[in-house]
Amino acid sequence: MDVLETRIDTRSAEYQANRAAMLALVADLRAELERAHTDRSPKAQARHKEQGKLTVEERLEALLDPDAPFLEVAPLAAKDMYDGRVHGAGSLAGIGRVSGREVLVLANDARIKGGTIYPLGVKKTLRCQAIALENRLPMLNLVDSGGAFLPLQSELFPDLDDGGRVFYNQAQLSKLGVPQITCVMGLCTAGAAYMPAMSDHAIHVAGTGAIFLGGPPLVRAATGEEVTAEELGGARLHCAESGVSDYYAEDDAHALAIARDLVALLPPVERARIPTRPPAPPLYPADEIYGLVPRALSTPYDVRELLARLLDGSQFHEFKRDYGPTLVCGWGYLHGMQVGLLGNNGVLFSESSLKAAQFIQLCDRDGVPLVFLQNINGYIIGREYERGGITKDGHKMVNAVATAGVPKLTVIVGASFGAGNYGMCGRAYSPRFLWMWPNARIGVMGPDQAASVLVSVKNEQQAREGLPPMTPEEVAAIQEPIQEAARREGSAYHSTANLWDDGILDPARTRDVLALGLSAALNAPLRSAPWGYGVFRM
């Protein structure tokens, strides 16, 4: 393979200005993550401790293998939503190792609103189940939840992707042989009672764990019966009488030890095989990424500079270098695992779209996972390009992305606009994982373009009605709110709050995070359906 040689002057004023701007974004990201992990009310902290419970962080520490990496999923979900205090959508989730086995863990944080489930909490649970299903990862649920947040029940109960889908997914996971282990460490009430019941193993903590379809207040209101939570759904009842729970745990630590034992007893998994070789670090430091990314998304840079800081030995075998140059395609290794990479060097033309479709087919046939590095304003537009068939050529690329059976991983490293988001494997195209950098922007189009389009439409409407064009004041009245909304809703934080991605990354961690995601993906077969594609419009 060729070695990528950098052309970046790390001593230049431009590099240093870029670096300072990115470091400021990374500092903001670290502050937001710290707040999401630690901002809990003293009252909630004290109540949790009085009940003899471990914190969610202590539970994970006891469950996971020492010194093993943990890839957190959606740590900033629900950021600045609801009252701004439903951090992580009320839970902590991620991929780690338990008894040497990669697993997905989803743990309620009862210090946040008593662990009650908000609409985005349901969405995060569904996302975690999708990760477990796609990657065939055993799923461990650490339940400590007061149930649905009733004031928002219409947003989390009745629809296809609301609360009931959690239990539907549990049935699908069970059918496909994906192990599920639930530790009942607090309240597990109403529909959530089905979570342990539908798991392969249910571990029940005495004194704090309680499973019931209706809690004591509801029982009192419906039947007049006076009953305590322990009498209604405690560990002794469900382990010795109802049979709902399988293992009686004295406390949190005991429950987590049982969970570790159960994971150790799982049959070994046959990991998907992809080409590998001994890993090697890149030739260039990861933190040089901070300075190579321009401060303005409209300023281009060579994605090969990024690849030189991601790939083993900075080695890259490029495919069709001189054809469709606005898309860079080729093969490299990440921590010893071979991947096919696609990175943007401009808008997508017919040639770059056709190159992408061919490259994706080659990787899919050969069982090589795909990594997409998105920095894309979209497909080229205009009469000349429509006559040349950009729509059908873009379709070939989108079709190939949608139907490829190998694992796909996406990082939005800059812009992600319009159909370019689709062609470069945005969320709708089911990458196993998708992350963003803090500088990234996402939307149908950029703020200025969106405002200009609306002004043009309004002026055309005025002309049809025989009216003069809008005045500068009228133009500003339309443009400014559209630009502000697009800037706000196109930010990486808005995306991650709504779970459009799996988290915002420190750019210097990108190589390691991609490798962790890829390792998790190899727990599943490369393909769940016969290899092939739909109809390509020629």
Side-chain angles (χ1 to χ4, degrees):
M1 287 188 176
D2 294 332
V3 175
L4 294 167
E5 295 185 12
T6 187
R7 297 181 180 180
I8 296 292
D9 180 4
T10 58
R11 296 167 298 180
S12 70
E14 181 68 15
Y15 176 90
Q16 293 299 329
N18 289 341
R19 181 180 176 86
M22 183 62 83
L23 283 172
L25 294 175
V26 170
D28 289 342
L29 172 62
R30 290 172 179 165
E32 290 294 345
L33 290 170
E34 177 69 14
R35 176 171 170 262
H37 289 143
T38 61
D39 180 26
R40 308 290 184 270
S41 74
K43 182 178 178 181
Q45 297 270 30
R47 175 168 172 74
H48 203 80
K49 187 176 181 179
E50 287 168 5
Q51 292 176 307
K53 295 178 180 179
L54 298 176
T55 66
V56 68
E57 294 83 10
E58 291 169 336
R59 287 170 177 172
L60 283 181
E61 185 178 359
L63 176 66
L64 299 172
D65 293 350
D67 301 322
F70 182 69
L71 180 58
E72 190 170 357
V73 173
L76 297 179
K79 179 187 179 308
D80 296 333
M81 302 177 77
Y82 310 119
D83 66 353
R85 301 290 301 278
V86 187
H87 303 299
S91 64
L92 197 157
I95 298 168
R97 287 187 176 272
V98 173
S99 300
R101 180 77 169 265
E102 284 173 311
V103 302
L104 190 144
V105 184
L106 175 63
N108 300 118
D109 191 339
R111 298 168 300 171
I112 300 175
K113 313 295 185 182
T116 52
I117 306 300
Y118 283 70
L120 277 164
V122 172
K123 189 172 183 180
K124 185 170 179 177
T125 299
L126 296 177
R127 174 59 190 148
C128 288
Q129 290 181 318
I131 291 172
L133 182 62
E134 291 172 343
N135 302 292
R136 299 298 192 269
L137 293 173
M139 188 163 181
L140 277 65
N141 300 294
L142 310 184
V143 180
D144 192 349
S145 170
F149 182 66
L150 293 178
L152 296 177
Q153 62 176 317
S154 65
E155 298 178 36
L156 54 79
F157 173 68
D159 207 353
L160 173 67
D161 55 354
D162 285 341
R165 194 70 175 186
V166 171
F167 314 117
Y168 172 91
N169 286 346
Q170 283 194 271
Q172 296 299 316
L173 286 163
S174 181
K175 178 181 178 181
L176 292 170
V178 179
Q180 298 171 82
I181 299 169
T182 294
C183 294
V184 181
M185 313 184 90
L187 293 178
C188 188
T189 185
Y194 291 119
M195 181 166 281
M198 298 185 73
S199 297
D200 301 312
H201 300 278
I203 305 163
H204 202 139
V205 178
T208 57
I211 302 172
F212 30 63
L213 293 178
L218 183 58
V219 170
R220 187 183 310 114
T223 69
E225 182 182 5
E226 293 288 344
V227 63
T228 67
E230 184 68 20
E231 293 168 336
L232 188 61
R236 183 59 61 191
L237 172 81
H238 283 311
C239 288
E241 298 182 45
S242 75
V244 169
S245 302
D246 306 310
Y247 306 94
Y248 183 94
E250 298 289 346
D251 53 24
D252 282 4
H254 186 203
L256 297 167
I258 294 171
R260 286 184 55 82
D261 288 343
L262 290 172
V263 174
L265 290 169
L266 294 175
V269 63
E270 182 67 29
R271 289 173 62 84
R273 295 183 181 182
I274 63 172
T276 61
R277 71 180 191 185
L283 298 182
Y284 307 101
D287 69 357
E288 287 187 357
I289 293 172
Y290 297 145
L292 67 88
V293 179
R295 301 180 297 286
L297 288 183
S298 57
T299 303
Y301 72 98
D302 190 349
V303 73
R304 296 177 187 86
E305 294 287 354
L306 173 55
L307 295 175
R309 290 155 180 85
L310 295 180
L311 298 176
D312 290 10
S314 301
Q315 292 182 321
F316 183 58
H317 184 83
E318 190 162 349
F319 176 72
K320 286 183 181 287
R321 180 185 178 95
D322 299 323
Y323 181 78
T326 59
L327 183 69
V328 174
C329 302
W331 293 268
Y333 287 81
L334 280 167
H335 283 269
M337 297 174 283
Q338 189 182 126
V339 291
L341 299 114
L342 300 93
N344 300 114
N345 261 359
V347 299
L348 291 163
F349 291 82
S350 283
E351 294 83 358
S352 41
S353 302
L354 294 171
K355 177 167 76 170
Q358 182 183 356
F359 178 71
I360 291 167
Q361 286 181 305
L362 289 170
C363 290
D364 195 26
R365 184 197 64 188
D366 296 340
V368 177
L370 293 161
V371 172
F372 296 82
L373 302 173
Q374 276 200 27
N375 183 19
I376 179 65
N377 283 310
Y379 288 86
I380 193 67
I381 59 175
R383 181 168 59 183
E384 174 189 349
Y385 302 106
E386 292 295 350
R387 289 179 65 186
I390 182 60
T391 299
K392 65 182 177 65
D393 293 334
H395 140 74
K396 295 182 181 71
M397 178 179 178
V398 169
N399 188 315
V401 171
T403 54
V406 292
K408 298 170 288 190
L409 295 88
T410 300
V411 186
I412 301 177
V413 301
S416 180
F417 292 131
N421 171 277
Y422 305 155
M424 290 298 292
C425 200
R427 186 66 121 187
Y429 285 75
S430 294
R432 299 288 183 91
F433 300 95
L434 185 149
W435 299 281
M436 298 183 81
W437 282 0
N439 62 310
R441 309 286 304 180
I442 187 169
V444 174
M445 60 185 72
D448 294 338
Q449 294 89 337
S452 295
V453 167
L454 288 175
V455 168
S456 295
V457 170
K458 182 63 176 177
N459 273 331
E460 289 171 3
Q461 181 184 359
Q462 299 260 104
R464 287 195 301 270
E465 296 173 358
L467 300 173
M470 289 187 292
T471 66
E473 292 76 17
E474 290 172 328
V475 168
I478 289 179
Q479 284 184 328
E480 289 172 6
I482 293 297
Q483 290 171 329
E484 172 56 29
R487 279 191 287 267
R488 183 180 64 254
E489 296 172 2
S491 75
Y493 287 112
H494 186 81
S495 169
T496 208
N498 284 280
L499 281 150
W500 298 347
D501 57 65
D502 295 314
I504 303 175
L505 300 183
D506 177 341
R509 293 191 60 230
T510 302
R511 166 180 158 83
D512 293 340
V513 168
L514 280 169
L516 290 172
L518 183 57
S519 177
L522 297 182
N523 285 276
L526 287 181
R527 297 186 184 90
S528 58
W531 179 76
Y533 294 86
V535 173
F536 286 112
R537 183 170 295 281
M538 306 307 292

